[in-house]
Amino acid sequence: MREKIKEIVDKSLSGKEITKEEGLFILSIPDEFINDLIEETKRIRETIFKNEVEFCSLINAKNGACSEDCSFCAQSSKYPTPINAYPLVSKKELLEGAEKAVSINANRYCIVTSGRRATEEEVEKIAEAVKEIKEKYPVKVCVSLGSIDKEALKKLKDAGVERVNHNLETSERFFSNIVTTHPWRERYETIKNIQEVGLSTCTGGIFGLGETDEDIVDLAMTYRNLGVDSIPLNFLIPIPGTPLENSNRLTPEKCLKIVALFKIFNPESEIRLCGGREQNLGEYHDTAMEIANCLMAGGYLTRAGRAPGKDEEMVKRLGRKLIKGGKQQLL
């Protein structure tokens, strides 16, 4: 088993494309061989990203009242979830979010809004805030504003935005099982638009929705074909009031296999542990960071994250170097 895993990892490191069958093999590895998978896969991270770790932080800049019906999301207006909906926050709050990101050692700060796409007025206000953030704080600015067009993307780029997040969430085949109010292809075309205007891409998925192993592999292959820069991996935390509130949680071992799979298919891409990492990975959280090189710190859109300092402690424990202000620093 170890030899077969090593063969696939060597293939990834040599720049050869991993096949769908090899991806399905990775996800089907018996749990007793999970350590072999981790030891082999972390060679990819060590080769390409060395010991670097990057934190990113987000601000939930516009919450709830979303017209879309993503079945995992508390922000949808379609579901009776206990959420405090509010419009776009002020420039002052956007700047305070950037200051907080810097204070928790984040190298990236992402402004996130709910809804299918940000309005022209919202884009204008965010662009103005980004200009000031770039003047005041040593942090890279990202946005996640839905299916915005090239004109809006260019305006944000001119303001200082460096990266745009827009998740495909799952495979094209499975997507309609979790979202019916817009097509998967719309998301895909948004990612192409982001690339075409010269912005960095951050696009990932959420796992534990009822997808098959084939869906997971198909998503990993899609990101390989797109050549995305950063892949945030989220693991479902069932939210009361949503259609997936009674979903079964993935095992920690399955989550590890998913992290390894995306690294193997996308060796040059950042692998970023995000929502649900603490609850789903459990005691294997540190183990997952042997493969990943980035994580979301300081909380998520509608859920709290790890207690302050826990992620910094992990970085120290693993003997890794945190990137702050674009530079490696020991904590």
Side-chain angles (χ1 to χ4, degrees):
M1 183 66 67
R2 178 76 179 253
E3 282 303 311
K4 176 64 175 177
I5 297 169
K6 182 179 184 300
E7 178 185 320
I8 294 173
V9 168
D10 286 343
K11 187 177 178 182
S12 174
L13 280 168
S14 69
K16 296 177 182 177
E17 287 195 354
I18 307 302
T19 66
K20 188 169 186 173
E21 291 70 26
E22 288 168 330
L24 291 170
F25 168 79
I26 293 297
L27 292 180
S28 67
I29 289 171
D31 290 349
E32 58 261 38
F33 296 101
I34 198 76
N35 287 335
D36 292 332
L37 177 63
I38 302 304
E39 285 301 310
E40 288 298 331
T41 308
K42 80 174 184 179
R43 291 195 290 118
I44 303 175
R45 187 266 301 163
E46 290 173 337
T47 299
I48 296 167
F49 293 98
K50 311 303 179 185
N51 275 331
E52 295 178 352
V53 176
E54 180 186 69
F55 290 174
C56 60
S57 175
L58 64 76
I59 180 172
N60 190 359
K62 177 187 175 185
N63 191 41
C66 180
S67 62
E68 306 310 287
D69 66 354
C70 305
S71 57
F72 53 83
C73 186
Q75 300 199 63
S76 174
S77 61
K78 314 289 185 185
Y79 313 131
T81 55
I83 193 168
N84 175 33
Y86 53 79
L88 183 68
V89 300
S90 66
K91 181 195 285 190
K92 179 175 180 289
E93 289 172 277
L94 292 175
L95 266 69
E96 288 173 348
E99 184 175 10
K100 178 186 174 184
V102 172
S103 75
I104 63 170
N105 296 316
N107 194 50
R108 293 184 181 274
Y109 170 57
C110 189
I111 298 170
V112 186
T113 60
S114 63
R116 185 164 180 168
R117 61 175 59 87
T119 66
E120 187 176 337
E121 180 182 4
E122 289 167 343
V123 170
E124 288 283 355
K125 290 180 177 179
I126 291 168
E128 285 302 311
V130 171
K131 289 176 185 176
E132 199 164 329
I133 289 167
K134 294 298 294 181
E135 290 172 359
K136 291 187 173 182
Y137 302 106
V139 67
K140 296 181 178 181
V141 181
C142 313
V143 297
S144 182
L145 308 179
S147 301
I148 53 177
D149 58 28
K150 287 184 181 179
E151 183 179 350
L153 289 166
K154 289 175 182 175
K155 186 169 294 183
L156 292 162
K157 181 183 178 183
D158 290 343
V161 169
E162 300 172 56
R163 176 174 285 179
V164 179
N165 166 262
H166 195 62
N167 295 337
L168 290 177
E169 306 298 10
T170 190
S171 72
E172 184 173 13
R173 184 197 69 81
F174 187 68
F175 188 80
S176 61
N177 291 279
I178 59 166
V179 184
T180 67
T181 46
H182 63 269
W184 184 92
R185 185 58 53 175
E186 178 181 300
R187 292 184 182 232
Y188 182 89
E189 291 303 324
T190 298
I191 295 167
K192 297 294 288 184
N193 287 340
I194 293 164
Q195 292 176 324
E196 286 173 15
V197 301
L199 284 161
S200 177
T201 47
C202 177
T203 177
I206 182 167
F207 307 97
L209 307 174
E211 71 281 349
T212 65
D213 282 359
E214 185 174 1
D215 293 313
I216 298 171
V217 174
D218 283 349
L219 185 62
M221 292 176 71
T222 297
Y223 288 147
R224 178 189 67 195
N225 295 337
L226 282 167
V228 300
D229 302 304
S230 174
I231 304 176
L233 303 179
N234 300 276
F235 303 99
L236 181 69
I237 305 173
I239 297 172
T242 65
L244 294 177
E245 64 180 338
N246 296 316
S247 294
N248 294 322
R249 187 168 290 173
L250 296 171
T251 66
E253 291 84 1
K254 187 56 176 274
C255 293
L256 283 176
K257 292 170 193 176
I258 291 170
V259 177
L261 177 88
F262 277 81
K263 181 78 277 182
I264 290 168
F265 269 89
N266 301 275
E268 301 284 344
S269 302
E270 298 168 0
I271 299 298
R272 194 172 300 272
L273 301 183
C274 294
R277 60 185 171 97
E278 302 91 347
Q279 297 89 338
N280 284 272
L281 285 162
E283 64 182 292
Y284 289 107
H285 189 281
D286 282 19
T287 307
M289 279 304 297
E290 294 287 358
I291 302 170
N293 64 298
C294 303
L295 55 80
M296 177 69 70
Y300 311 106
L301 287 175
T302 61
R303 294 278 178 155
R306 259 179 157 185
K310 288 291 184 182
D311 288 323
E312 288 88 344
E313 290 173 9
M314 177 187 64
V315 172
K316 287 181 182 178
R317 189 164 57 245
L318 295 175
R320 306 276 286 279
K321 295 179 179 179
L322 190 63
I323 301 173
K324 295 189 290 180
K327 300 176 181 178
Q328 278 192 3
Q329 298 186 32
L330 289 173
L331 289 174

